[in-house]
Amino acid sequence: AGWAVEVDGPSHFVRSSDGQLHCNGGTLLKRRHLAGLGYALVSVPFWEWGAVEKKPLQEKVRYLREKLGLRTTGSSRKISYAAAASSQ
């Protein structure tokens, strides 16, 4: 069907007794539904986006292209800058 990009904030996770973060039930269910509909899901966890959030737009786009498995230079495929620009 296509791509689904989900930005997972802190409320999408629970912390286990050993301190590790794991997706909560609602997030897992949503992912299962999207996969069942044929979407390729790309998750952007809050700690990864936080590392690029204050960087220039070009760095945000590079991060998103890498998450989507697109080459960072020379690719004929394009992604919208709208998602990356919305946080500036």
Side-chain angles (χ1 to χ4, degrees):
W3 293 92
V5 178
E6 178 179 29
V7 179
D8 292 318
S11 65
H12 290 248
F13 299 92
V14 294
R15 192 172 298 275
S16 63
S17 59
D18 63 358
Q20 292 187 342
L21 290 174
H22 302 276
C23 291
N24 66 25
T27 298
L28 292 173
L29 181 62
K30 180 175 18 176
R31 289 178 178 184
R32 205 171 310 136
H33 284 260
L34 288 168
L37 292 170
Y39 286 94
L41 177 67
V42 175
S43 173
V44 179
F46 69 93
W47 60 86
E48 287 183 8
W49 188 251
V52 296
E53 184 175 29
K54 302 224 185 288
K55 293 189 177 182
L57 178 61
Q58 185 177 7
E59 291 297 315
K60 293 175 190 171
V61 170
R62 180 177 299 140
Y63 167 82
L64 292 172
R65 290 181 68 83
E66 288 174 3
K67 289 294 281 188
L68 292 169
L70 302 174
R71 292 183 297 175
T72 57
T73 58
S75 176
S76 60
R77 296 176 68 186
K78 300 208 185 273
I79 63 168
S80 171
Y81 284 75
S86 67
S87 65
Q88 280 198 350

